[in-house]
Amino acid sequence: MDINKENIIRISNEIAEKLGYFVIDILYRGDNRKKIIEIYVDAEKNVTADDLAEISREINSVLDEKDLIKDSYRLEVSTPGVDRPLKFLQQYPKHINRKFEITYKTGDEVKTITGKLLSIEREELTFFSEGKNILVEFKNITTAKVLISFS
């Protein structure tokens, strides 16, 4: 990874953390004429459009001040959205009582269940699926997606 990307990651993480958020992912697209930097952030609380605008302004300000990107670029700051799997334990609490599809390892097996997230104790998540509670350690989850309910 080049030094500018490392600096952008460091700056983004510092600013997000200072404002009470955490960076989920940073993607780089485009070419030298028009770079696009996509930064996905989340928090333990719901993230608003105003929150995203504030994070974007702060990151843009520091990037411009440090002159890290010589060519024109567009910075996009957003939340990961419901179509992206959850990556960090801090993303789960605001989804208690919501339905998930999770794939996790248990011994030598890999299981996939659909169930409601009931609780989180340290690094253990309890899901209700098929009439019973299932305890899953966060470190064993390979993918977890919140399922959208329109009812």
Side-chain angles (χ1 to χ4, degrees):
M1 181 181 315
D2 71 35
I3 193 77
N4 277 348
K5 285 185 180 178
E6 287 177 13
N7 283 329
I8 292 167
I9 291 168
R10 182 183 50 75
I11 289 165
S12 300
N13 280 316
E14 287 172 1
I15 290 171
E17 189 175 305
K18 177 182 85 172
L19 297 172
Y21 306 91
F22 48 92
V23 174
I24 300 294
D25 205 359
I26 299 178
L27 304 175
Y28 303 90
R29 296 186 295 125
D31 55 31
N32 285 337
R33 291 190 322 273
K34 187 62 175 176
K35 290 179 173 46
I36 300 169
I37 303 166
E38 297 177 41
I39 301 175
Y40 295 96
V41 299
D42 208 345
E44 291 182 21
K45 62 181 175 80
N46 288 325
V47 181
T48 68
D50 289 340
D51 298 333
L52 296 172
E54 178 183 16
I55 297 165
S56 180
R57 278 191 300 275
E58 293 235 7
I59 292 172
N60 245 331
S61 174
V62 173
L63 293 179
D64 290 347
E65 175 186 310
K66 295 190 181 292
D67 200 24
L68 290 177
I69 304 170
K70 304 297 181 209
D71 301 311
S72 67
Y73 71 95
R74 183 173 77 220
L75 178 66
E76 297 177 356
V77 178
S78 66
T79 58
V82 294
D83 58 325
R84 288 183 176 258
L86 277 59
K87 292 173 86 172
F88 299 101
L89 185 59
Q90 303 98 299
Q91 292 178 279
Y92 287 80
K94 68 181 173 186
H95 296 293
I96 287 177
N97 291 320
R98 294 182 89 184
K99 196 171 184 182
F100 276 77
E101 180 180 273
I102 67 161
T103 302
Y104 63 100
K105 294 177 283 190
T106 176
D108 292 335
E109 283 185 81
V110 174
K111 293 185 177 181
T112 299
I113 63 165
T114 300
K116 181 193 275 190
L117 176 60
L118 297 178
S119 65
I120 303 167
E121 297 267 337
R122 291 175 293 287
E123 301 225 346
E124 295 179 332
L125 296 88
T126 303
F127 293 89
F128 184 76
S129 177
E130 297 180 6
K132 63 183 184 241
N133 288 350
I134 299 171
L135 192 66
V136 180
E137 285 189 61
F138 175 72
K139 68 181 181 182
N140 293 332
I141 296 175
T142 54
T143 61
K145 288 183 79 170
V146 178
L147 299 177
I148 302 305
S149 172
F150 295 101
S151 57

